[in-house]
Amino acid sequence: MDDETGSTPSRPLRALLRWLGAAAAIAGIVGVVFQVIEWAGSRATPAAETSAGASPTVVTPTARANGDEQFVRAGQCVRNTGDAARVVYAIAPCGPGTWRVLARIEQAVVDEAQADAVCEAQAPGFMDYHYSNWTKRSDYLDVVFCVAPA
């Protein structure tokens, strides 16, 4: 009879431990989900800021590519679907109001003066440029688009 009496208290204890284990697992999963959401939110594109002294179409974004920028190649035409303060390039058929990308240069660039010099060396005759560093991390390259009216 001791065996039957001894097993009765352990059954509710096992149920409690199972419930606590399940609750801990659910809390862990919810915590991971919130961390992923927070991480994804920190990688969102903040508003771009126009650099001092730069032309209105030259913008230094602070995060990821806008529009089609990550896919734009030299020789393609683009249209700014944003505004002067926030350039957003979208690949478009060449025509009025579009820019032809003369060069896409992927290298570390520290400021607008260096971006201008890079375009001058790589794409003589360029009219403007758009500078992007979509991640602002040192292990990623900057991208400079040297453009001229199409």
Side-chain angles (χ1 to χ4, degrees), residues 106-110 114 118 131 140-142:
E106 296 183 13
Q107 72 178 48
V109 177
V110 294
Q114 186 180 7
V118 165
Y131 167 88
Y140 284 86
L141 295 173
D142 300 328

Side-chain angles (χ1 to χ4, degrees), residues 37-52:
I37 290 169
E38 183 179 330
W39 172 80
S42 71
R43 296 183 53 87
T45 305
E49 297 176 14
T50 304
S51 304

Side-chain angles (χ1 to χ4, degrees), residues 39-105:
W39 172 80
S42 71
R43 296 183 53 87
T45 305
E49 297 176 14
T50 304
S51 304
S55 70
T57 58
V58 178
V59 176
T60 306
T62 57
R64 288 189 286 224
N66 296 317
D68 295 333
E69 286 181 352
Q70 61 188 344
F71 306 111
V72 172
R73 300 287 173 236
Q76 291 181 309
C77 287
V78 293
R79 180 177 310 279
N80 180 8
T81 58
D83 55 33
R86 184 174 168 94
V87 174
V88 178
Y89 278 164
I91 299 170
C94 294
T98 63
W99 294 87
R100 180 174 302 277
V101 178
L102 302 177
R104 174 192 170 111
I105 301 147

Side-chain angles (χ1 to χ4, degrees), residues 13-25:
L13 182 61
R14 284 186 199 156
L16 178 64
L17 290 175
R18 275 192 223 130
W19 185 85
L20 288 175

